[in-house]
Amino acid sequence: MGLVESGKLPKPLTSLLNLSRKYSIWAYQWGLACCAIEMGAALASPRYDVMRLGVIPFPASPRQADLVIISGTVTDKMAPAVLRLYEQMPDPKYVISMGSCANCGGPYWDSYSVTKGVDQIIPVDVYVPGCPPRPEALLEGIVLLQERIQNEDMAARWKGEPIVVA
């Protein structure tokens, strides 16, 4: 058992490791509808360069990702695929729900086939509101996630316990 799992990591070392983790996030994008266009603008265009924030987009698979960004309408038929994607990611893993459809079902909330928010399937760390949200809103969500990573207890996160922000 290592220092992280035992919870005996010194505070200065925890701060240093959290600082390095917050600036090296591999982001996997899961675009399901129109919000994916805005997500693509934030992740791939030179105007909203996310790599300056320390976010590396486009990993080869979910097994190499630290963060998944779910954007668009999550249908009941797509829910098992979203869960499988989340389960394939290594710990510690983070989720950003982008857009009102992913957050709560959006304008389709009363449809029989729409999941009323991705948080009913997987735990969400940051919600980015909007229909569709602007790329700047996604960048702000990423910065908020980085602040949480900087202040989190690593041992609790690796054990799958909820985040407690100091």
Side-chain angles (χ1 to χ4, degrees):
M1 178 180 276
L3 286 175
V4 174
E5 291 87 3
S6 67
K8 298 177 183 173
L9 202 61
K11 183 72 174 166
L13 188 56
T14 300
S15 297
L16 179 65
L17 291 174
N18 283 345
L19 179 71
S20 64
R21 286 187 321 115
K22 91 177 205 181
Y23 288 123
S24 62
I25 298 174
W26 287 73
Y28 193 81
Q29 61 281 356
W30 191 260
L32 298 171
C34 45
C35 287
I37 296 169
E38 297 297 321
M39 182 175 53
L43 295 176
S45 77
R47 182 174 201 167
Y48 305 105
D49 182 26
V50 293
M51 291 187 80
R52 67 187 161 91
L53 298 174
V55 176
I56 300 123
F58 314 117
S61 77
R63 291 183 176 95
Q64 298 172 344
D66 304 310
L67 165 68
V68 63
I69 304 170
I70 308 287
S71 65
T73 309
V74 180
T75 60
D76 293 340
K77 195 169 188 176
M78 186 57 73
V82 171
L83 180 62
R84 184 175 37 225
L85 166 81
Y86 180 76
E87 289 172 347
Q88 288 178 354
M89 294 172 59
D91 286 324
K93 49 192 165 188
Y94 305 96
V95 177
I96 291 180
S97 176
M98 180 180 169
S100 59
C101 289
N103 292 345
C104 64
Y108 312 108
W109 67 271
D110 60 346
S111 174
Y112 69 94
S113 63
V114 172
T115 302
K116 311 304 187 259
V118 74
D119 56 358
Q120 294 187 3
I121 307 164
I122 58 176
V124 174
D125 296 298
V126 175
Y127 296 90
V128 177
C131 185
R134 296 200 34 93
E136 294 93 346
L138 178 59
L139 295 180
E140 187 175 343
I142 290 171
V143 169
L144 178 63
L145 179 66
Q146 287 176 328
E147 290 172 5
R148 287 185 173 192
I149 291 171
Q150 178 65 48
N151 298 321
E152 78 181 356
D153 179 19
M154 290 177 60
R157 189 63 186 204
W158 255 276
K159 292 177 186 175
E161 298 173 7
I163 297 176
V164 177
V165 178

